[in-house]
Amino acid sequence: MAELDPRVRLQALLTEYSTRAEAIERDLSREHAQSFSEQATERQNDMVLQGLLADARMGVQEVKQALERLDAGTYGECEKCGEPINEARLEALPTAQHCINCAD
């Protein structure tokens, strides 16, 4: 299998997180029901959505930072020890900032 360009992978991930955040923001901006019992359920759902939105926004930020590291030529280097981050780790977690040893 051919290795995928990190920039392509990161851009795809950025699009995924951004699209997810936009969809959640649309859901959160909808009007709530008139019924008190339905409003209570909707408010609980909103709390879950707010958590998911925070995760999506964090993902966007992490991808942007990874793209900055790529532009600077430091993508794939551990920010703590300076050693290369294992390819398998970057494959599983493209925004990884630390090698597995420093991440522990």
Side-chain angles (χ1 to χ4, degrees), residues 21-94:
E22 290 167 7
I24 294 168
E25 286 169 344
R26 277 193 307 275
D27 284 347
L28 285 170
S29 68
R30 77 195 181 295
E31 290 190 28
H32 288 89
Q34 296 296 321
S35 162
F36 177 75
S37 62
E38 288 178 30
Q39 281 184 14
T41 300
E42 289 174 347
R43 297 285 182 212
Q44 287 177 333
N45 292 342
D46 285 352
M47 289 174 54
V48 172
L49 287 174
Q50 288 168 352
L52 293 172
L53 179 58
D55 289 344
R57 286 179 175 162
M58 178 66 75
V60 166
Q61 185 62 33
E62 289 174 353
V63 172
K64 286 181 178 180
Q65 290 171 350
L67 287 167
E68 288 173 5
R69 290 191 303 278
L70 192 61
D71 290 340
T74 59
Y75 179 78
E77 292 177 15
C78 178
E79 290 186 350
K80 203 170 200 179
C81 71
E83 293 296 316
I85 299 172
N86 184 291
E87 287 294 322
R89 179 165 171 76
L90 287 174
E91 180 70 28
L93 186 62

